[in-house]
Amino acid sequence: MNSNTFQDQEGQEHSYKYGSLSHTDAATRQQAIDHNIECIEIGRALGSKALTVWIGDGSNFPGQSHFTRQFERYLDAMKNIYTALPDDWRIFSEHKIFEPAFYSTVVQDWGTNYLIAKELGPKAFCLVDLGHHAPNVNIEMIVARLIQFGKLGGFHFNDSKYGDDDLDTGSIDPFRLFLVFNELVDAEGAKDFDPAHMLDQSHNVTDPIESLMRSAIEVRRAYAQALVVDRTALAGFQNDNDPMMASETLKDAFRTDVGPILAMARRKAGGAIDPVATYRASGYRQKVAGERPAVTGASGGIV
Ligand SMILES: [Mn+2]
């Protein structure tokens, strides 16, 4: 379940213009807490086992907000939500460097995110959205750190050129996706390691169903490539301080064409060898377009 306190809803009493869970006004914070608790209730009915919280809270100008007091208010509010969490649920906090706040964001990076998960307790974990970092940040290393300290909750997969572009997984930098999965495969069996794999994308120029197919395929491709890594050889090259052969070991796996194996696996599971071509040939899009009214207007898609 994803809560939404970053957009005002119709009929809502207090506006989130100046924040939600970290708002200076107690009644606005309470409204955001109540919304998250309602999301838990809806999630229970749907069979969900986790709540993801991303807030747009932050500031646009130096001096606008007191960093510490703002974060204290956020933590207090999150503790209220955490208390309402069922025993078999987890709560994921999602960090994001900027947007919609462009000077400071309350949950801005994995360090703050780790502090939140640590403060809240054993059911709290960090969610990594690949688009929520500065360009060139080493995301796979963040993943490794969170795994090492038992706080990796999962992912919002997408891809980006600049920021939170929310493009299809693996469409810009498939090597980075592979390196993230390299850390996940390396950590299989680690304590508290049960990451949730989710897609968080904005499909503006493609058929969203096709983009979801492609993204799911790319996630599986990165996983399969990561399984190909010769980890014994890699560990040896690392211990022998042989950066050339260590990096070539990873590149060898990344260059391996696992496409035919993935297609075979899909076919064995009753799926299509070429999902997008099969989907197009089925005429599904045309059929449902005739049944469902078109949505007018577009949203910013900020998450
Ligand atoms: Mn996200």
mmCIF file of all heavy atoms in Angstrom, residues 156-193:
data_model
loop_
_atom_site.group_PDB
_atom_site.id
_atom_site.type_symbol
_atom_site.label_atom_id
_atom_site.label_comp_id
_atom_site.label_asym_id
_atom_site.label_seq_id
_atom_site.Cartn_x
_atom_site.Cartn_y
_atom_site.Cartn_z
ATOM 1 N N HIS A 156 11.607 0.640 -5.673
ATOM 2 C CA HIS A 156 10.769 1.142 -6.745
ATOM 3 C C HIS A 156 11.684 1.189 -7.956
ATOM 4 O O HIS A 156 12.565 2.044 -8.052
ATOM 5 C CB HIS A 156 10.236 2.541 -6.436
ATOM 6 C CG HIS A 156 9.020 2.525 -5.568
ATOM 7 N ND1 HIS A 156 8.458 3.672 -5.040
ATOM 8 C CD2 HIS A 156 8.226 1.493 -5.152
ATOM 9 C CE1 HIS A 156 7.382 3.345 -4.351
ATOM 10 N NE2 HIS A 156 7.222 2.033 -4.386
ATOM 11 N N PHE A 157 11.504 0.246 -8.861
ATOM 12 C CA PHE A 157 12.342 0.201 -10.053
ATOM 13 C C PHE A 157 11.830 1.181 -11.109
ATOM 14 O O PHE A 157 10.608 1.319 -11.323
ATOM 15 C CB PHE A 157 12.381 -1.211 -10.644
ATOM 16 C CG PHE A 157 13.178 -2.174 -9.806
ATOM 17 C CD1 PHE A 157 12.574 -3.258 -9.193
ATOM 18 C CD2 PHE A 157 14.549 -1.993 -9.630
ATOM 19 C CE1 PHE A 157 13.307 -4.143 -8.423
ATOM 20 C CE2 PHE A 157 15.298 -2.880 -8.868
ATOM 21 C CZ PHE A 157 14.672 -3.952 -8.256
ATOM 22 N N ASN A 158 12.765 1.825 -11.744
ATOM 23 C CA ASN A 158 12.508 2.728 -12.871
ATOM 24 C C ASN A 158 13.882 3.096 -13.409
ATOM 25 O O ASN A 158 14.886 2.569 -12.943
ATOM 26 C CB ASN A 158 11.720 3.978 -12.426
ATOM 27 C CG ASN A 158 12.328 4.645 -11.218
ATOM 28 O OD1 ASN A 158 13.524 4.919 -11.189
ATOM 29 N ND2 ASN A 158 11.510 4.900 -10.206
ATOM 30 N N ASP A 159 13.939 3.990 -14.368
ATOM 31 C CA ASP A 159 15.247 4.424 -14.851
ATOM 32 C C ASP A 159 15.210 5.921 -15.112
ATOM 33 O O ASP A 159 14.135 6.522 -15.191
ATOM 34 C CB ASP A 159 15.647 3.652 -16.113
ATOM 35 C CG ASP A 159 17.155 3.398 -16.149
ATOM 36 O OD1 ASP A 159 17.908 4.151 -15.499
ATOM 37 O OD2 ASP A 159 17.576 2.447 -16.819
ATOM 38 N N SER A 160 16.389 6.519 -15.185
ATOM 39 C CA SER A 160 16.427 7.972 -15.341
ATOM 40 C C SER A 160 17.712 8.443 -15.984
ATOM 41 O O SER A 160 18.746 7.783 -15.914
ATOM 42 C CB SER A 160 16.271 8.646 -13.980
ATOM 43 O OG SER A 160 17.340 8.292 -13.133
ATOM 44 N N LYS A 161 17.614 9.591 -16.601
ATOM 45 C CA LYS A 161 18.770 10.274 -17.176
ATOM 46 C C LYS A 161 19.211 11.408 -16.259
ATOM 47 O O LYS A 161 20.391 11.691 -16.143
ATOM 48 C CB LYS A 161 18.384 10.825 -18.550
ATOM 49 C CG LYS A 161 19.509 11.489 -19.301
ATOM 50 C CD LYS A 161 20.427 10.460 -19.929
ATOM 51 C CE LYS A 161 21.492 11.141 -20.781
ATOM 52 N NZ LYS A 161 22.609 10.213 -21.063
ATOM 53 N N TYR A 162 18.224 12.055 -15.625
ATOM 54 C CA TYR A 162 18.529 13.259 -14.842
ATOM 55 C C TYR A 162 18.104 13.181 -13.381
ATOM 56 O O TYR A 162 18.870 13.528 -12.496
ATOM 57 C CB TYR A 162 17.865 14.474 -15.499
ATOM 58 C CG TYR A 162 18.366 14.716 -16.899
ATOM 59 C CD1 TYR A 162 17.592 14.385 -18.010
ATOM 60 C CD2 TYR A 162 19.629 15.248 -17.115
ATOM 61 C CE1 TYR A 162 18.066 14.597 -19.298
ATOM 62 C CE2 TYR A 162 20.114 15.449 -18.396
ATOM 63 C CZ TYR A 162 19.331 15.126 -19.489
ATOM 64 O OH TYR A 162 19.797 15.317 -20.754
ATOM 65 N N GLY A 163 16.855 12.814 -13.120
ATOM 66 C CA GLY A 163 16.345 12.844 -11.750
ATOM 67 C C GLY A 163 15.303 11.755 -11.584
ATOM 68 O O GLY A 163 15.551 10.608 -11.897
ATOM 69 N N ASP A 164 14.137 12.162 -11.090
ATOM 70 C CA ASP A 164 13.054 11.198 -10.897
ATOM 71 C C ASP A 164 12.267 11.060 -12.199
ATOM 72 O O ASP A 164 11.070 11.324 -12.243
ATOM 73 C CB ASP A 164 12.154 11.669 -9.749
ATOM 74 C CG ASP A 164 11.169 10.590 -9.319
ATOM 75 O OD1 ASP A 164 11.442 9.408 -9.565
ATOM 76 O OD2 ASP A 164 10.137 10.951 -8.731
ATOM 77 N N ASP A 165 12.964 10.643 -13.254
ATOM 78 C CA ASP A 165 12.371 10.614 -14.587
ATOM 79 C C ASP A 165 11.279 9.557 -14.731
ATOM 80 O O ASP A 165 10.420 9.652 -15.596
ATOM 81 C CB ASP A 165 13.444 10.350 -15.651
ATOM 82 C CG ASP A 165 14.624 11.321 -15.564
ATOM 83 O OD1 ASP A 165 14.649 12.155 -14.642
ATOM 84 O OD2 ASP A 165 15.525 11.229 -16.407
ATOM 85 N N ASP A 166 11.339 8.519 -13.881
ATOM 86 C CA ASP A 166 10.323 7.453 -13.883
ATOM 87 C C ASP A 166 10.166 6.756 -15.227
ATOM 88 O O ASP A 166 9.053 6.412 -15.647
ATOM 89 C CB ASP A 166 8.963 7.995 -13.398
ATOM 90 C CG ASP A 166 8.872 7.979 -11.878
ATOM 91 O OD1 ASP A 166 9.569 7.158 -11.254
ATOM 92 O OD2 ASP A 166 8.097 8.772 -11.319
ATOM 93 N N LEU A 167 11.290 6.561 -15.920
ATOM 94 C CA LEU A 167 11.250 5.854 -17.204
ATOM 95 C C LEU A 167 11.267 4.338 -16.976
ATOM 96 O O LEU A 167 11.541 3.861 -15.874
ATOM 97 C CB LEU A 167 12.453 6.274 -18.058
ATOM 98 C CG LEU A 167 12.538 7.774 -18.371
ATOM 99 C CD1 LEU A 167 13.848 8.113 -19.066
ATOM 100 C CD2 LEU A 167 11.351 8.206 -19.227
ATOM 101 N N ASP A 168 11.005 3.593 -18.046
ATOM 102 C CA ASP A 168 10.943 2.130 -17.942
ATOM 103 C C ASP A 168 12.265 1.563 -17.415
ATOM 104 O O ASP A 168 13.352 2.006 -17.818
ATOM 105 C CB ASP A 168 10.669 1.511 -19.322
ATOM 106 C CG ASP A 168 9.305 1.904 -19.880
ATOM 107 O OD1 ASP A 168 8.709 2.868 -19.362
ATOM 108 O OD2 ASP A 168 8.846 1.258 -20.824
ATOM 109 N N THR A 169 12.143 0.570 -16.566
ATOM 110 C CA THR A 169 13.321 -0.079 -15.979
ATOM 111 C C THR A 169 14.296 -0.535 -17.059
ATOM 112 O O THR A 169 13.889 -1.152 -18.047
ATOM 113 C CB THR A 169 12.891 -1.312 -15.164
ATOM 114 O OG1 THR A 169 11.877 -0.908 -14.254
ATOM 115 C CG2 THR A 169 14.053 -1.897 -14.390
ATOM 116 N N GLY A 170 15.557 -0.216 -16.872
ATOM 117 C CA GLY A 170 16.594 -0.695 -17.789
ATOM 118 C C GLY A 170 16.632 0.012 -19.130
ATOM 119 O O GLY A 170 17.404 -0.374 -20.001
ATOM 120 N N SER A 171 15.821 1.062 -19.308
ATOM 121 C CA SER A 171 15.772 1.722 -20.616
ATOM 122 C C SER A 171 16.923 2.702 -20.819
ATOM 123 O O SER A 171 17.268 3.031 -21.954
ATOM 124 C CB SER A 171 14.428 2.436 -20.815
ATOM 125 O OG SER A 171 14.231 3.413 -19.812
ATOM 126 N N ILE A 172 17.522 3.180 -19.740
ATOM 127 C CA ILE A 172 18.624 4.146 -19.853
ATOM 128 C C ILE A 172 19.957 3.500 -19.445
ATOM 129 O O ILE A 172 20.938 3.587 -20.163
ATOM 130 C CB ILE A 172 18.362 5.380 -18.952
ATOM 131 C CG1 ILE A 172 17.056 6.077 -19.350
ATOM 132 C CG2 ILE A 172 19.557 6.338 -18.985
ATOM 133 C CD1 ILE A 172 17.122 6.869 -20.634
ATOM 134 N N ASP A 173 19.967 2.881 -18.273
ATOM 135 C CA ASP A 173 21.225 2.352 -17.744
ATOM 136 C C ASP A 173 21.054 0.914 -17.228
ATOM 137 O O ASP A 173 20.979 0.688 -16.019
ATOM 138 C CB ASP A 173 21.738 3.269 -16.619
ATOM 139 C CG ASP A 173 23.152 2.923 -16.189
ATOM 140 O OD1 ASP A 173 23.673 1.879 -16.627
ATOM 141 O OD2 ASP A 173 23.735 3.692 -15.404
ATOM 142 N N PRO A 174 20.976 -0.047 -18.147
ATOM 143 C CA PRO A 174 20.789 -1.436 -17.707
ATOM 144 C C PRO A 174 21.962 -1.980 -16.874
ATOM 145 O O PRO A 174 21.771 -2.880 -16.061
ATOM 146 C CB PRO A 174 20.639 -2.214 -19.021
ATOM 147 C CG PRO A 174 21.151 -1.315 -20.092
ATOM 148 C CD PRO A 174 20.962 0.092 -19.607
ATOM 149 N N PHE A 175 23.142 -1.409 -17.067
ATOM 150 C CA PHE A 175 24.290 -1.889 -16.282
ATOM 151 C C PHE A 175 24.107 -1.564 -14.791
ATOM 152 O O PHE A 175 24.418 -2.368 -13.928
ATOM 153 C CB PHE A 175 25.590 -1.270 -16.813
ATOM 154 C CG PHE A 175 26.841 -1.845 -16.193
ATOM 155 C CD1 PHE A 175 27.077 -3.222 -16.179
ATOM 156 C CD2 PHE A 175 27.788 -1.019 -15.609
ATOM 157 C CE1 PHE A 175 28.227 -3.761 -15.605
ATOM 158 C CE2 PHE A 175 28.942 -1.546 -15.029
ATOM 159 C CZ PHE A 175 29.163 -2.919 -15.037
ATOM 160 N N ARG A 176 23.559 -0.397 -14.506
ATOM 161 C CA ARG A 176 23.305 -0.036 -13.108
ATOM 162 C C ARG A 176 22.283 -0.995 -12.486
ATOM 163 O O ARG A 176 22.440 -1.419 -11.335
ATOM 164 C CB ARG A 176 22.796 1.409 -13.015
ATOM 165 C CG ARG A 176 22.496 1.843 -11.599
ATOM 166 C CD ARG A 176 22.250 3.318 -11.489
ATOM 167 N NE ARG A 176 21.020 3.727 -12.179
ATOM 168 C CZ ARG A 176 20.590 4.979 -12.225
ATOM 169 N NH1 ARG A 176 21.272 5.937 -11.659
ATOM 170 N NH2 ARG A 176 19.460 5.278 -12.866
ATOM 171 N N LEU A 177 21.252 -1.313 -13.251
ATOM 172 C CA LEU A 177 20.243 -2.260 -12.752
ATOM 173 C C LEU A 177 20.900 -3.613 -12.452
ATOM 174 O O LEU A 177 20.639 -4.235 -11.423
ATOM 175 C CB LEU A 177 19.134 -2.425 -13.788
ATOM 176 C CG LEU A 177 17.960 -3.313 -13.384
ATOM 177 C CD1 LEU A 177 17.178 -2.706 -12.217
ATOM 178 C CD2 LEU A 177 17.026 -3.549 -14.566
ATOM 179 N N PHE A 178 21.777 -4.035 -13.358
ATOM 180 C CA PHE A 178 22.515 -5.287 -13.151
ATOM 181 C C PHE A 178 23.356 -5.218 -11.870
ATOM 182 O O PHE A 178 23.398 -6.171 -11.089
ATOM 183 C CB PHE A 178 23.413 -5.567 -14.366
ATOM 184 C CG PHE A 178 24.529 -6.516 -14.108
ATOM 185 C CD1 PHE A 178 24.311 -7.892 -14.029
ATOM 186 C CD2 PHE A 178 25.837 -6.048 -13.925
ATOM 187 C CE1 PHE A 178 25.364 -8.774 -13.773
ATOM 188 C CE2 PHE A 178 26.883 -6.925 -13.668
ATOM 189 C CZ PHE A 178 26.648 -8.283 -13.599
ATOM 190 N N LEU A 179 24.021 -4.084 -11.642
ATOM 191 C CA LEU A 179 24.874 -3.955 -10.460
ATOM 192 C C LEU A 179 24.055 -3.986 -9.168
ATOM 193 O O LEU A 179 24.512 -4.506 -8.146
ATOM 194 C CB LEU A 179 25.706 -2.674 -10.548
ATOM 195 C CG LEU A 179 26.773 -2.677 -11.652
ATOM 196 C CD1 LEU A 179 27.448 -1.320 -11.761
ATOM 197 C CD2 LEU A 179 27.814 -3.776 -11.420
ATOM 198 N N VAL A 180 22.832 -3.454 -9.217
ATOM 199 C CA VAL A 180 21.937 -3.548 -8.052
ATOM 200 C C VAL A 180 21.600 -5.021 -7.799
ATOM 201 O O VAL A 180 21.687 -5.510 -6.669
ATOM 202 C CB VAL A 180 20.653 -2.711 -8.278
ATOM 203 C CG1 VAL A 180 19.583 -3.070 -7.249
ATOM 204 C CG2 VAL A 180 20.967 -1.227 -8.221
ATOM 205 N N PHE A 181 21.254 -5.742 -8.866
ATOM 206 C CA PHE A 181 20.919 -7.160 -8.701
ATOM 207 C C PHE A 181 22.139 -7.995 -8.327
ATOM 208 O O PHE A 181 22.006 -9.012 -7.639
ATOM 209 C CB PHE A 181 20.214 -7.701 -9.948
ATOM 210 C CG PHE A 181 18.730 -7.546 -9.841
ATOM 211 C CD1 PHE A 181 18.099 -6.417 -10.341
ATOM 212 C CD2 PHE A 181 17.965 -8.495 -9.179
ATOM 213 C CE1 PHE A 181 16.735 -6.242 -10.192
ATOM 214 C CE2 PHE A 181 16.599 -8.333 -9.030
ATOM 215 C CZ PHE A 181 15.981 -7.202 -9.543
ATOM 216 N N ASN A 182 23.300 -7.550 -8.739
ATOM 217 C CA ASN A 182 24.514 -8.229 -8.317
ATOM 218 C C ASN A 182 24.637 -8.208 -6.791
ATOM 219 O O ASN A 182 24.990 -9.219 -6.166
ATOM 220 C CB ASN A 182 25.733 -7.552 -8.970
ATOM 221 C CG ASN A 182 27.030 -8.185 -8.531
ATOM 222 O OD1 ASN A 182 27.193 -9.401 -8.605
ATOM 223 N ND2 ASN A 182 27.956 -7.365 -8.043
ATOM 224 N N GLU A 183 24.283 -7.080 -6.177
ATOM 225 C CA GLU A 183 24.310 -6.990 -4.711
ATOM 226 C C GLU A 183 23.217 -7.865 -4.091
ATOM 227 O O GLU A 183 23.428 -8.486 -3.052
ATOM 228 C CB GLU A 183 24.132 -5.531 -4.258
ATOM 229 C CG GLU A 183 25.252 -4.595 -4.682
ATOM 230 C CD GLU A 183 26.625 -5.048 -4.204
ATOM 231 O OE1 GLU A 183 26.724 -5.597 -3.093
ATOM 232 O OE2 GLU A 183 27.606 -4.860 -4.962
ATOM 233 N N LEU A 184 22.060 -7.915 -4.735
ATOM 234 C CA LEU A 184 20.951 -8.705 -4.180
ATOM 235 C C LEU A 184 21.273 -10.199 -4.218
ATOM 236 O O LEU A 184 21.023 -10.923 -3.253
ATOM 237 C CB LEU A 184 19.652 -8.427 -4.962
ATOM 238 C CG LEU A 184 19.124 -6.995 -4.890
ATOM 239 C CD1 LEU A 184 17.829 -6.868 -5.679
ATOM 240 C CD2 LEU A 184 18.902 -6.571 -3.448
ATOM 241 N N VAL A 185 21.836 -10.654 -5.336
ATOM 242 C CA VAL A 185 22.195 -12.072 -5.438
ATOM 243 C C VAL A 185 23.306 -12.401 -4.449
ATOM 244 O O VAL A 185 23.280 -13.435 -3.779
ATOM 245 C CB VAL A 185 22.625 -12.428 -6.886
ATOM 246 C CG1 VAL A 185 23.225 -13.826 -6.950
ATOM 247 C CG2 VAL A 185 21.427 -12.316 -7.829
ATOM 248 N N ASP A 186 24.251 -11.489 -4.328
ATOM 249 C CA ASP A 186 25.359 -11.671 -3.390
ATOM 250 C C ASP A 186 24.851 -11.831 -1.945
ATOM 251 O O ASP A 186 25.453 -12.527 -1.139
ATOM 252 C CB ASP A 186 26.303 -10.471 -3.480
ATOM 253 C CG ASP A 186 27.566 -10.670 -2.652
ATOM 254 O OD1 ASP A 186 28.434 -11.455 -3.099
ATOM 255 O OD2 ASP A 186 27.668 -10.086 -1.556
ATOM 256 N N ALA A 187 23.730 -11.163 -1.645
ATOM 257 C CA ALA A 187 23.229 -11.126 -0.262
ATOM 258 C C ALA A 187 22.178 -12.184 0.031
ATOM 259 O O ALA A 187 21.669 -12.243 1.155
ATOM 260 C CB ALA A 187 22.640 -9.750 0.015
ATOM 261 N N GLU A 188 21.832 -13.018 -0.932
ATOM 262 C CA GLU A 188 20.770 -13.991 -0.702
ATOM 263 C C GLU A 188 21.083 -14.824 0.545
ATOM 264 O O GLU A 188 22.188 -15.331 0.699
ATOM 265 C CB GLU A 188 20.575 -14.885 -1.938
ATOM 266 C CG GLU A 188 19.618 -14.232 -2.930
ATOM 267 C CD GLU A 188 19.464 -15.002 -4.237
ATOM 268 O OE1 GLU A 188 20.066 -16.074 -4.383
ATOM 269 O OE2 GLU A 188 18.739 -14.492 -5.113
ATOM 270 N N GLY A 189 20.099 -14.929 1.436
ATOM 271 C CA GLY A 189 20.298 -15.662 2.681
ATOM 272 C C GLY A 189 20.713 -14.779 3.850
ATOM 273 O O GLY A 189 20.810 -15.239 4.983
ATOM 274 N N ALA A 190 20.958 -13.481 3.600
ATOM 275 C CA ALA A 190 21.352 -12.576 4.693
ATOM 276 C C ALA A 190 20.176 -12.350 5.650
ATOM 277 O O ALA A 190 19.012 -12.542 5.295
ATOM 278 C CB ALA A 190 21.820 -11.246 4.121
ATOM 279 N N LYS A 191 20.499 -11.904 6.860
ATOM 280 C CA LYS A 191 19.492 -11.673 7.897
ATOM 281 C C LYS A 191 18.546 -10.518 7.500
ATOM 282 O O LYS A 191 18.999 -9.507 6.982
ATOM 283 C CB LYS A 191 20.229 -11.321 9.204
ATOM 284 C CG LYS A 191 19.355 -11.233 10.434
ATOM 285 C CD LYS A 191 20.221 -10.988 11.660
ATOM 286 C CE LYS A 191 19.388 -10.604 12.868
ATOM 287 N NZ LYS A 191 18.872 -9.246 12.829
ATOM 288 N N ASP A 192 17.249 -10.698 7.796
ATOM 289 C CA ASP A 192 16.239 -9.671 7.495
ATOM 290 C C ASP A 192 16.254 -9.250 6.023
ATOM 291 O O ASP A 192 15.985 -8.102 5.696
ATOM 292 C CB ASP A 192 16.441 -8.430 8.376
ATOM 293 C CG ASP A 192 16.079 -8.699 9.820
ATOM 294 O OD1 ASP A 192 15.129 -9.468 10.054
ATOM 295 O OD2 ASP A 192 16.758 -8.161 10.704
ATOM 296 N N PHE A 193 16.591 -10.189 5.137
ATOM 297 C CA PHE A 193 16.689 -9.858 3.714
ATOM 298 C C PHE A 193 15.497 -10.421 2.958
ATOM 299 O O PHE A 193 15.429 -11.614 2.680
ATOM 300 C CB PHE A 193 18.007 -10.417 3.152
ATOM 301 C CG PHE A 193 18.219 -10.125 1.691
ATOM 302 C CD1 PHE A 193 18.443 -8.832 1.255
ATOM 303 C CD2 PHE A 193 18.189 -11.140 0.750
ATOM 304 C CE1 PHE A 193 18.636 -8.552 -0.086
ATOM 305 C CE2 PHE A 193 18.382 -10.872 -0.601
ATOM 306 C CZ PHE A 193 18.606 -9.580 -1.014
#
